[in-house]
Amino acid sequence: MSQLDDKVAVITGGAQGIGRAIAELFARRGAHIVIADINLEKAEATAQAIAASTGRRAIAVKTNVADSASAQAMADRAIEEFGRIDLLINNAGTTRDNLIMRMSDAEWDLVLGINLKGAFNCSKAVVRSMMKQRSGRIVNISSVSGLAGQAGQTNYSSSKAGLIGLTKALAREVGSRGITVNAVAPGFVPTDLTSDILGKMKDEAIKMTPLGRLASVEDIAYAVGFLVSDEASFITGQVLSVDGGMVMQ
């Protein structure tokens, strides 16, 4: 029996990339899955594939995490379908890289709205039910860019650094109800989101990484899997860097 048996996990941005890897891992470990994604077609395909390969229930819910009403509707649907929410992975994210002198208000607002406000919206939407059941796990997907900064990413780095502050503050708020809140800070992971930047600096990124390779989506998923497990029940308010040693603090 897996310790995630019959847990209900919401993964934002779960249709592809890191989010999909997390959803697949959780389902293999026994959880039922809610794929919350702006791209409903991809989310449905992912949910169907997970259900077929694992035998777990998996649903797709079209969700714009930057919109609080959409986030609340997603949480309501999950509770309606499964009766509870045990795990929330705030993974949805985007980039709009530019030098600050060229960065538009729209580029700033879009990235902060999805990456940071999205995590706020979804956490707010699920935390009431977690507090009532006196248990829950929230994991926010931050980034090495939120720890060390990255030129041309003032919006992205700010959003990911903000996620760390959100993680620590929320961990203090809900700890007495048996809810843990942690963050994972990946290094460079080849996904659709990072394809442009890695296309230009893949070799440099590998040189900057003591372990001498890029991360896989599975590397990130396994770290998240640990933080939602019983073994991590006394860990909260922490940031786990999964970056091959790129950023050491």
Side-chain angles (χ1 to χ4, degrees):
M1 176 180 287
S2 167
Q3 60 183 245
L4 294 187
D5 272 351
D6 295 325
K7 298 286 189 183
V8 177
V10 172
I11 298 100
T12 71
Q16 59 188 349
I18 292 172
R20 177 167 181 158
I22 294 168
E24 290 172 341
L25 177 67
F26 284 10
R28 290 197 303 271
R29 293 183 176 179
H32 303 299
I33 306 297
V34 178
I35 303 291
D37 202 287
I38 193 71
N39 189 324
L40 183 59
E41 185 177 348
K42 280 189 177 181
E44 287 178 335
T46 296
Q48 290 168 6
I50 288 172
S53 64
T54 66
R56 298 287 88 189
R57 293 171 64 196
I59 65 170
V61 183
K62 183 171 183 176
T63 310
N64 175 7
V65 297
D67 179 77
S68 58
S70 181
Q72 186 62 58
M74 176 273 295
D76 291 344
R77 171 77 193 287
I79 291 171
E80 177 186 345
E81 189 78 21
F82 296 106
R84 60 189 291 126
I85 296 171
D86 299 292
L87 317 173
L88 169 66
I89 313 304
N90 284 311
N91 166 74
T94 193
T95 58
R96 291 295 185 276
D97 294 352
N98 218 335
L99 297 175
I100 194 167
M101 291 181 293
R102 298 174 184 165
M103 186 174 291
S104 67
D105 287 357
E107 289 170 330
W108 174 272
D109 291 344
L110 179 71
V111 171
L112 271 289
I114 293 173
N115 297 5
L116 183 54
K117 189 183 179 188
F120 163 77
N121 285 337
C122 293
S123 298
K124 183 178 179 180
V126 309
V127 79
R128 188 182 301 274
S129 66
M130 286 184 175
M131 290 180 77
K132 285 181 180 178
Q133 67 201 30
R134 302 188 74 86
S135 67
R137 300 278 189 270
I138 298 173
V139 180
N140 298 316
I141 306 301
S142 182
S143 170
V144 293
S145 294
L147 292 169
Q150 180 67 36
Q153 287 192 326
T154 51
N155 50 4
Y156 186 77
S157 294
S158 295
S159 71
K160 294 301 188 177
L163 267 180
I164 293 171
L166 186 155
T167 297
K168 293 177 180 293
L170 185 56
R172 290 185 182 274
E173 281 190 30
V174 300
S176 64
R177 297 298 183 96
I179 302 166
T180 67
V181 188
N182 292 289
V184 169
F188 287 110
V189 186
T191 66
D192 288 347
L193 184 67
T194 60
S195 59
D196 287 344
I197 189 170
L198 279 178
K200 301 170 186 173
M201 57 176 296
K202 179 179 178 181
D203 292 341
E204 182 182 346
I206 292 173
K207 287 178 183 177
M208 293 164 57
T209 305
L211 290 185
R213 67 173 177 87
L214 300 179
S216 68
V217 293
E218 290 79 15
D219 289 325
I220 312 308
Y222 288 132
V224 176
F226 167 67
L227 289 172
V228 302
S229 71
D230 291 346
E231 286 86 349
S233 64
F234 203 59
I235 299 173
T236 196
Q238 303 304 307
V239 182
L240 176 57
S241 294
V242 187
D243 61 4
M246 180 181 288
V247 176
M248 298 189 190
Q249 292 186 332

